[in-house]
Amino acid sequence: MHMSDALLSLPVAGAFLAISTAALAFSAKQAASDPRAQPARMGVLGAFVFAAQMINFSIPGTGSSGHFAGGTLLALLIGPWAGALVIASVLAVQALFFADGGLLAWGANVFNMGLIGCLVAVPLVYRGLAGPAPSKRRRRAAIMAASLTACVGGALAVTLQTTASGLTDLPFNRFALLMIPVHAAIGVAEGLITIAVLEQLPAWAQDQGAPQPREGRRVAGVALTALVVAGLVSWLASARPDGLEYSVARMGVEPASLRGGLNQRLRQWQSQHALLPNYDFKPTPVASSGVASAMAGAAPAQPWPKVNAGTSVAGLGGAVVVALLALGLGGLASWWARRRARA
Amino acid sequence: MNAGAWSGLQELDRLAAGHSWLHRLDPLVKLLLGLGFAVAVVSVPKYALPSLAPLLMVPVLMAALAGFEPLPLLARAWPAAGVALMLGAFNPLLDPQRVDVAGCQVSAGWLSLAVMLAKALLVAGMALVLVASSGFARLADSLGSLGAPHIFVQQLQLLWRYAGLLAEESDRLKRARDLRDPLARARGPRLAARLIGGLLARSLARAERIHQAMLCRGFRGSLPGAALRPWGPQDWAALAGGCGLIGACRFLPLVPWAQQALERIQP
């Protein structure tokens, strides 16, 4: 479920980075006064989840595999605030050291695997179903429901983020149909592992009973805010045209305020001087020659997002030259560094 | 903790003990450059494969200045491409536009897939170069100086230290199991659950003991990382130069210029 930077557009990645950072800052403040958030416990559980996430188990009948996410276990053992912090630290180590999950995608990954599991699934689903003094069977059912919520909720969030970014061509409904059954199966496995591990722990290490005073209300507030903001942001940051552009295009007219006069001149100036008008290279003579001229007729009339000479393989030869230059520069720098080291 | 993961972490820590120009920079400078680079890479449009070529220069230069071998780092960055490959694998089938690539008609989905893979590898490669030249303790400290909450920085440092403890305990449990059941007759999910529960309980108990001992010796919640010094001219110059290089690679039309130069050279 680890998202890489390549799957997210800049607005979606930035928005989730901001949401997760804000939620983690609030969690850090709450955890500082939470007796369950003991540093040694958090450290060991972080190392444990980190190791457990590296072991993939295959999901029978789907041909895919999944891994333990750990949000439910952490929130049950050290509370939701510390649990979210531990997952965030695990994801930071994985992104930095193992290239598992991107740097900018860290916020989205914390949201999908940490915030949904620790701040939604356990405090709202588990506590709601288990009640204050659950029997063994009821506790198991509540853990299973919380694990399923965490995994399916995380998968749904991945689908929304990917679709809003517009970099893959999978339609939302098809992608969701692909993701949700697989992650429901992973959720069952996660629930079984969580139950098995919790029941093998001695009493002193297990769930420390009732949540902190007013914890439910605070968690619900943070979770609801994060989910609403994330939903709004995903919609607003979508790669599709924004509401105004869409409405104007549907009406087939250009607003009077944008026609003629100063506006027209400003737009003309902008298109001439912007470094990358419409996130694209400016038209150059190169674009109409070589590979580019062969491509010119290939693109359909109004593709969206468009594939054009500036943004695709028009400069294939140029790209190879630049890449070779980069490698050459690297060689030169390496020689210089070795020379300095010898000196 | 599996042995491969732990040895991987130790290998990266070993690389961080170097003395190159990049190693001497403040880790915060490298972290900021890494984030800037990620923003530049992610902002490249869906089909703009040539626009990524100049950005290759940044991690290549950094790795060369740090004296790292490029191939082992590339191998370590490869998992980043896995998810991108999984989710982008449908692009060639679902994107119906046809484009001409060097005389071959291909689906535009291949282009977008290639862009996704290249982006994933570039950002992961850059992150690895920066981390391998900084070391984990210094990087966590620099996050603290960036304003990250103290409890989060402490958690990062303790995760790092207790990963070794977990690896030791797991090694002991594995040896005990192998000695008691050398022919692997009694292994199954029930035993695995007991072993995992036991491993966690033992590690938690040992971590609590270590933590108590640390508190007795005057530990007040912050680990002694490598002391961060104030930024010198070298750090400021590296930040400005790095940002300039990333900006130039992203925004200057280097590929069209190279293409024009190629056409002038061709008879």
Side-chain angles (χ1 to χ4, degrees), chain A residues 222-239:
Chain A
V222 175
L224 209 68
T225 313
L227 289 176
V228 169
V229 174
L232 276 174
V233 157
S234 300
W235 179 66
L236 288 173
S238 164

Side-chain angles (χ1 to χ4, degrees), chain A residues 4 37 107 155 183-184 188 281 286:
Chain A
S4 84
H183 283 84
V188 171
F281 290 135
V286 179

